[in-house]
Amino acid sequence: MLLESIFMIRGGSFGEDFGSKFIMAIIALILCLYDYKTNDQRKDYIWVFLVGTIIWSAAELALQLGGTRALQEKSFFGIDVTNTLWLTIPLQGMSEGAFVAVLGVFVGDRLLNKDKRKEGIIVLVIFVAWVSRTLLMGINFNNINAGDLSIPSRREMFPLTANIFIAIMSAIAILWLITTDPESRKRGLMMYIIMTGFIAWWTFTEWLTGQRWIEVGTINADGSYSNLRRAPPLIEFGALAYDFLIEVSLIYVPFLSIPYWFKLIKK
């Protein structure tokens, strides 16, 4: 097992439903525009959205072209877009990257502001409820087929290129949090806390309903898989925790810190 690969599995519809990703992208843009209109036309969230979209789209493109993530089918409101990377890659960047970051900053900023705290809590509760309802509709208790090659999404978690990318993004996040001013640090930490909590709930709900799990197995020289099976509980728990603590939270903090470094966001 020590020489085998670890895979993140999405067994539910989210891995292949790009209609929901489009909706998430629109919601993120609405949050950006709402903040722009209600906070003296500041562009903080717009920059977070743009940086997040660019970085995560590039990451997804590399994952899929390199074979690290295997998506079987992709649909966009009933239309087959499996081979339409020009559409699906940006949608993944906007929904799986920018949306989470914008939500983290939006809710985090409001929790730090006593006058707007209620607004932040309401928005967070709405999104948690929406995600829960969406995932519960795709409940899949009796249809978990570990190792099934037709699973919507299978991603190798620790290839060298991904490890380098995660290390760089994590270093940027930590360096910025250490060196920035206290107010910006507080903002970044709150963003991280909100993202971590939101994605932890998302992950737990998917795991509970049989839509996300961890597999171990071997990638053969020709790109095929062998000996795929459900990971032992300890490995599964550790991999899922690593995902929501690092892969979908800490490495998103640079979506905020990079605009700060380039003085696109005013302190």
Side-chain angles (χ1 to χ4, degrees):
M1 183 176 291
L2 291 177
L3 298 179
E4 291 183 306
S5 297
I6 298 175
F7 302 93
M8 173 69 70
I9 306 300
R10 287 177 179 171
S13 62
F14 183 75
E16 57 189 10
D17 181 8
F18 282 75
S20 63
K21 298 181 196 296
F22 175 77
I23 293 172
M24 291 170 69
I26 295 300
I27 291 172
L29 284 171
I30 290 173
L31 293 179
C32 291
L33 293 175
Y34 174 79
D35 185 77
Y36 176 81
K37 288 290 187 180
T38 58
N39 281 286
D40 298 323
Q41 298 187 340
R42 69 176 180 181
K43 300 176 182 177
D44 298 21
Y45 297 6
I46 296 173
W47 287 118
V48 170
F49 181 87
L50 289 174
V51 172
T53 297
I54 292 170
I55 292 178
W56 205 248
S57 294
E60 276 296 334
L61 183 62
L63 285 173
Q64 292 179 42
L65 292 182
T68 300
R69 187 195 298 280
L71 295 173
Q72 301 302 323
E73 296 180 357
K74 306 172 188 176
S75 64
F76 183 71
F77 298 110
I79 302 171
D80 183 8
V81 292
T82 302
N83 299 313
T84 316
L85 289 181
W86 62 265
L87 173 65
T88 60
I89 291 296
L91 282 177
Q92 285 186 270
M94 288 186 282
S95 61
E96 298 177 21
F99 168 82
V100 177
V102 169
L103 179 65
V105 179
F106 187 95
V107 175
D109 282 352
R110 280 148 185 80
L111 293 184
L112 290 172
N113 186 331
K114 291 183 179 180
D115 296 331
K116 296 184 177 181
R117 191 165 294 164
K118 183 177 179 180
E119 180 179 280
I121 293 173
I122 290 173
V123 169
L124 183 60
V125 169
I126 288 173
F127 280 113
V128 167
W130 175 62
V131 167
S132 300
R133 177 183 177 277
T134 301
L135 295 177
L136 287 172
M137 287 175 64
I139 197 164
N140 197 30
F141 279 121
N142 300 315
N143 195 30
I144 299 177
N145 297 309
D148 189 340
L149 296 180
S150 65
I151 284 170
S153 174
R154 175 178 283 107
R155 172 175 64 86
E156 185 184 3
M157 291 191 68
F158 301 105
L160 178 60
T161 52
N163 289 339
I164 293 172
F165 173 74
I166 290 171
I168 292 173
M169 294 294 285
S170 297
I172 291 173
I174 294 170
L175 179 63
W176 177 72
L177 289 171
I178 292 173
T179 59
T180 193
D181 63 279
E183 286 302 313
S184 299
R185 182 181 304 114
K186 189 184 300 182
R187 191 183 196 191
L189 287 172
M190 184 59 76
M191 171 195 183
Y192 173 73
I193 291 170
I194 297 301
M195 290 191 298
T196 300
F198 180 70
I199 296 301
W201 174 251
W202 185 314
T203 300
F204 173 73
T205 306
E206 283 194 315
W207 174 83
L208 183 66
T209 57
Q211 299 177 68
R212 184 185 291 259
W213 65 91
I214 302 297
E215 291 180 358
V216 293
T218 302
I219 302 178
N220 302 314
D222 61 358
S224 62
Y225 304 100
S226 59
N227 200 26
L228 288 173
R229 62 201 185 279
R230 187 80 177 255
L234 187 60
I235 292 178
E236 182 161 81
F237 174 79
L240 291 173
Y242 173 79
D243 182 60
F244 67 73
L245 288 171
I246 306 296
E247 288 188 332
V248 197
S249 293
L250 182 61
I251 69 170
Y252 284 12
V253 173
F255 300 169
L256 176 66
S257 64
I258 289 174
Y260 266 108
W261 272 344
F262 283 93
K263 302 187 185 303
L264 299 171
I265 295 178
K266 298 178 181 179
K267 296 183 180 181

